[in-house]
């Protein structure tokens, strides 16, 4: 089973002539998930495998309710790992989608006044500690303050400044093309 949300879309690396008109309406991430995000998901999946192994041992011992609890916990951890992998910025002709751990926010390109990169204090790996860095901001027409779409110190771009620049340029390019 291919896990398409793990890889960056090849359409960003290919020429525009190679994509079909329907591809522009498919949600895609303009960058590959970073090593910290993939590592966190791997640790969560490792924890889920331990929980499933414990469920098997508990079921063989004859305590089925306990095994059911372990299977339910493992299922929750697997869903959490998949959500961690899906986090980030996604673009399509419909707009810009920011996927967080517990929420998803989608803004159509028409509702955005500007999408630009700025120097500002940003959270380091999503923790409360802030450091000076770059952030890609998408400002709605109403002037409402939003969290940065991506930063150069999040789990996808920490230590990968060139990847951040390419992703920010790709999102800004989509905004320039589809914002009217």
């Amino acid at each position: 089973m291919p896990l398409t949300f793990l890889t960056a879309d090849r359409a960003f690396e290919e020429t525009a002539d190679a994509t079909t008109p329907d591809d522009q309406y498919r949600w895609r991430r303009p960058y590959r998930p970073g090593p910290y995000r993939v590592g966190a998901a791997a640790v969560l999946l490792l924890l889920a495998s331990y929980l499933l192994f414990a469920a098997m041992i508990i079921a063989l011992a004859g305590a089925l309710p306990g095994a059911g609890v372990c299977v339910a916990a493992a299922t929750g951890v697997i869903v959490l790992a998949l959500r961690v992998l899906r986090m980030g910025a996604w673009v399509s002709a419909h707009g810009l989608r920011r996927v967080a751990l517990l929420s998803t926010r989608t803004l159509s390109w028409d509702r955005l006044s500007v999408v630009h990169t700025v120097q500002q204090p940003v959270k380091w790996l999503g923790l409360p500690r802030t450091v000076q860095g770059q952030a890609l901001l998408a400002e709605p027409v109403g002037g409402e303050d939003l969290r940065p779409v991506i930063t150069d110190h999040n789990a996808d771009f920490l230590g990968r400044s060139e990847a951040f620049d390419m992703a920010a340029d790709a999102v800004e390019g989509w905004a320039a093309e589809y914002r009217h």
Side-chain angles (χ1 to χ4, degrees), residues 100-161:
L101 185 61
L102 299 176
S103 65
T104 299
R105 175 125 191 214
T106 303
L107 292 170
S108 67
W109 294 119
D110 295 336
R111 291 191 49 214
L112 294 174
S113 62
V114 66
V115 176
H116 60 103
T117 305
V118 297
Q119 289 280 338
Q120 70 176 34
V122 297
K123 291 185 176 186
W124 183 77
L125 289 176
L127 299 172
R129 178 177 178 228
T130 59
V131 295
Q132 189 64 28
Q134 295 184 54
L136 179 70
L137 299 179
E139 297 176 12
V141 174
E144 165 188 4
D145 284 340
L146 294 178
R147 292 177 46 190
V149 178
I150 56 175
T151 68
D152 64 342
H153 284 80
N154 69 8
D156 290 320
F157 301 110
L158 187 62
R160 300 173 51 212
S161 59

